């Protein structure tokens, strides 16, 4: 073993002696300790006082904040309830307008159905009936023009009513859209009211309280109070606007229906007046034709009697002619100088000539009378045909059309 190594292992390590202080250092150290202790005690008293004061302030601020939050929650619930009352009131008015417009829609539909199923059919039936006129009476008269005008007015009224119906349906759709947004707003406000009411009734000693230790902010709201108020205000403003539009539309429908009905009634009376005038004209013409027919029949009868008289007169004149010829024939058998042109001969010759002339005249008068009778009978037949035409026209206009038109009824529904 190495000597140096043995020497190192056999050596004993002796600790150094403790530090020695002087008496002054001892007094100084004690004063420092006292001073530090007093300073710490003063600091502790100050901290205790500050803590007590701060705790009191914090407790007061905490209680004040809680009271303020409770007040704000109560105020918010009141504000929401006030707004909900306004929304409910406005929604009720919107629903009333929807019901009113639905009723007006039914009125418009009833008016359209009445015009299509009653008035227009009657008008077209009258036009078809009047196509049954015959002869000269099948003319384009005032009645036909007014009937066509009435049918066109009814069809135009139907088209306008259809457009008004579309406007009413669109207004109902917009009102229902308004109620949809108001219902959503009411539902949201009901949920908020429930949440705030639950927040109002709990306190710091309530059960089921929890501390949030997440990283997502507990205040996710990104809508300002002004935007919240503006949203509800816009819904109410939109509802009020749609209500005013619906009321204006209902007033327009009332005015429009009244105007349409008044116009149709006016045209109805115009058509009836045209029928009345036409019926009077036809009756007057028929009366004249009947008078002329009676006069023609009377003249035809007189002409028949006249023809009989003429024929009888011709027969009689032919008897006189035969008598004169017989006398002349017998006197032509006179003998000798007795066959002279005496006064008897002259008179007989003159009588024969005059009888021949008279018979010729009677034959001419008979021919004229017979021709006149033929024309009178032809005229009588034509008059009878014309009377039948007028009778048929009167039946169509006075019986068929006017009776049918009595069932026409226009009202505002």
């Amino acid at each position: 073993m190495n000597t140096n190594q043995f020497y190192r292992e056999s050596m004993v390590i002796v600790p150094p002696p403790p530090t020695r202080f002087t008496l002054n250092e001892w007094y100084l150290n004690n004063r420092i300790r006292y001073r530090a202790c007093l300073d710490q005690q003063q600091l502790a008293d100050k901290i205790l006082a500050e803590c007590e004061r701060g705790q009191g302030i914090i407790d007061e601020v905490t209680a004040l904040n809680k009271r303020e939050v409770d007040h704000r929650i109560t105020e918010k619930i009141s504000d929401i309830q006030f707004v909900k009352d306004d929304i409910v009131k406005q929604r009720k008015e919107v629903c009333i307008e929807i019901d009113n417009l639905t009723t007006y829609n039914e009125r418009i539909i009833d008016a359209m159905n009445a015009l299509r199923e009653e008035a227009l059919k009657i008008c077209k039936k009258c036009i078809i009936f009047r196509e049954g006129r015959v002869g000269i009476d099948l003319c384009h008269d005032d009645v036909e023009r007014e009937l066509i005008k009435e049918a066109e007015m009814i069809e135009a009224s139907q088209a306008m009513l259809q457009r008004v119906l579309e406007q009413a349906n669109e207004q109902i759709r917009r009102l229902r859209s308004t109620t949809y947004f108001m219902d959503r707003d009411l539902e949201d406000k009901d949920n908020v009211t429930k949440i705030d009411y639950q927040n109002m009734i709990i306190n710091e000693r309530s059960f089921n309280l929890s501390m949030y230790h997440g990283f997502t902010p507990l205040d996710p709201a990104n809508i300002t109070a002004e935007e919240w108020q503006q949203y509800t205000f816009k819904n109410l403003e939109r509802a009020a606007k749609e209500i005013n539009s619906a009321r204006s539309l209902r007033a327009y429908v009332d005015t429009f229906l009244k105007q349409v009905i008044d116009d149709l009634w006016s045209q109805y009376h115009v058509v009836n007046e045209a029928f009345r005038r036409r019926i009077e004209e036809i009756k007057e013409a028929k009366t004249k034709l009947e008078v002329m027919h009676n006069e023609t029949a009377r003249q035809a009868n007189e002409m028949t009697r006249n023809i009989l008289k003429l024929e009888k007169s011709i027969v009689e004149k032919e008897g006189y002619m035969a008598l004169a010829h017989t006398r002349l024939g017998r006197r032509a058998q006179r003998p000798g100088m007795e066959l002279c042109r005496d006064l008897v001969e002259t008179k007989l010759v003159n009588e024969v000539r005059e009888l021949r002339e008279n018979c010729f005249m009677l034959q001419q008068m008979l021919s004229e009378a017979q021709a006149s009778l033929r024309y009178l009978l032809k005229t009588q037949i034509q008059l009878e045909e014309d009377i039948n035409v007028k009778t048929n026209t009167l039946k169509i206009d006075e019986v068929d059309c006017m009776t049918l038109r009595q069932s026409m009824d226009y009202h505002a529904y």
Side-chain angles (χ1 to χ4, degrees), residues 337-354:
M337 292 300 293
E338 295 297 326
L339 188 62
C340 64
R341 188 177 296 276
D342 54 5
L343 292 176
V344 176
E345 184 75 14
T346 303
K347 188 63 178 175
L348 282 173
V349 171
N350 290 335
E351 183 183 12
V352 170
R353 186 183 69 252
E354 289 180 359

Side-chain angles (χ1 to χ4, degrees), residues 134-182:
V134 294
I136 192 63
D137 280 12
L138 187 60
C139 61
H140 189 62
D141 53 6
D142 291 339
V143 175
E144 186 171 353
R145 283 191 291 270
E146 295 301 334
L147 277 173
I148 293 173
K149 182 179 178 181
E150 185 178 39
E152 292 174 350
M153 285 183 63
I154 293 173
E155 291 174 348
S157 299
Q158 282 185 302
M160 290 187 291
L161 285 172
Q162 181 63 38
R163 288 194 292 270
V164 173
L165 180 63
E166 292 173 357
Q167 293 178 4
N169 287 330
E170 174 62 19
Q171 186 61 45
I172 290 175
R173 186 196 65 78
R174 295 172 66 177
L175 287 170
R176 286 175 177 167
S177 174
T178 302
T179 58
Y180 169 76
F181 285 106
M182 286 194 293

Side-chain angles (χ1 to χ4, degrees), residues 39-55:
D39 289 341
Q40 290 297 325
Q41 289 176 356
Q42 291 176 358
L43 180 60
D45 291 337
K46 183 178 180 181
I47 290 174
L48 288 173
E50 287 292 333
C51 287
E52 185 176 358
R53 186 176 64 83
Q55 186 178 0

Side-chain angles (χ1 to χ4, degrees), residues 171-375:
Q171 186 61 45
I172 290 175
R173 186 196 65 78
R174 295 172 66 177
L175 287 170
R176 286 175 177 167
S177 174
T178 302
T179 58
Y180 169 76
F181 285 106
M182 286 194 293
D183 288 340
R184 285 188 56 187
D185 198 9
L186 283 173
E187 183 180 358
D188 293 342
K189 284 178 170 51
D190 284 336
N191 293 330
V192 170
T193 302
K194 292 177 182 178
I195 292 172
D196 285 344
Y197 181 75
Q198 292 295 328
N199 286 335
M200 185 179 65
I201 62 176
I202 63 175
N203 54 41
E204 67 278 6
R205 292 181 295 276
S206 299
F207 295 102
N208 298 326
L209 299 181
S210 61
M211 295 289 293
Y212 178 70
H213 299 287
F215 298 99
T216 305
L218 269 176
D219 185 16
N222 54 4
I223 298 174
T224 63
E226 290 76 12
E227 291 175 341
W228 175 81
Q229 292 177 351
Q230 192 67 22
Y231 176 77
T232 302
F233 175 75
K234 285 183 178 180
N235 283 338
L236 294 175
E237 186 180 26
R238 179 186 176 190
K241 180 180 178 181
E242 297 302 334
I243 288 172
N244 290 332
S245 298
R247 289 172 179 172
S248 299
L249 181 59
R250 287 195 293 114
Y252 171 73
V253 170
D254 286 331
T255 304
F256 178 74
L257 281 176
K258 184 178 183 303
Q259 185 64 44
V260 168
I261 298 305
D262 290 344
D263 291 343
L264 291 176
W265 271 122
S266 177
Q267 183 61 26
Y268 171 82
H269 293 305
V270 169
V271 173
N272 285 356
E273 179 63 21
F275 265 114
R276 186 190 64 79
R277 291 196 305 268
R278 186 60 177 164
I279 290 170
E280 288 182 356
E281 291 175 354
I282 295 172
K283 284 183 176 180
E284 183 179 356
K286 181 174 177 289
T287 302
K288 290 181 179 179
L289 289 173
E290 289 173 345
V291 171
M292 293 175 65
H293 177 269
N294 293 332
E295 181 65 21
T296 302
R298 184 188 64 78
Q299 289 182 349
N301 292 330
E302 289 184 359
M303 191 61 66
T304 301
R305 290 193 294 270
N306 183 46
I307 290 172
L308 293 175
K309 289 180 181 180
L310 288 173
E311 289 176 346
K312 182 180 179 181
S313 178
I314 290 172
V315 170
E316 290 176 352
K317 299 305 181 287
E318 287 177 350
Y320 286 110
M321 179 72 73
L323 176 62
H325 283 177
T326 301
R327 286 176 176 178
L328 283 174
R330 287 180 178 181
R331 295 192 89 245
Q333 296 176 3
R334 289 175 297 169
M337 292 300 293
E338 295 297 326
L339 188 62
C340 64
R341 188 177 296 276
D342 54 5
L343 292 176
V344 176
E345 184 75 14
T346 303
K347 188 63 178 175
L348 282 173
V349 171
N350 290 335
E351 183 183 12
V352 170
R353 186 183 69 252
E354 289 180 359
L355 284 172
R356 187 179 292 113
E357 291 176 356
N358 290 334
C359 285
F360 179 76
M361 291 176 61
L362 288 173
Q363 286 292 344
Q364 284 186 333
M365 287 188 288
L366 178 61
S367 298
E368 291 176 357
Q370 289 174 342
S372 177
L373 179 61
R374 288 194 298 272
Y375 285 123

Side-chain angles (χ1 to χ4, degrees), residues 5 34 38 68 72 74 84 86 88 120 146 154 195 206 212 244 261 264 330 332 349 357 375 386 389 392:
Q5 183 179 0
Y34 294 154
L38 290 174
E68 181 68 20
R72 293 299 180 185
T74 304
K84 282 173 59 180
D86 286 344
V88 170
L120 187 59
E146 295 301 334
I154 293 173
I195 292 172
S206 299
Y212 178 70
N244 290 332
I261 298 305
L264 291 176
R330 287 180 178 181
V349 171
E357 291 176 356
Y375 285 123
D386 290 342
V389 168
N392 176 67

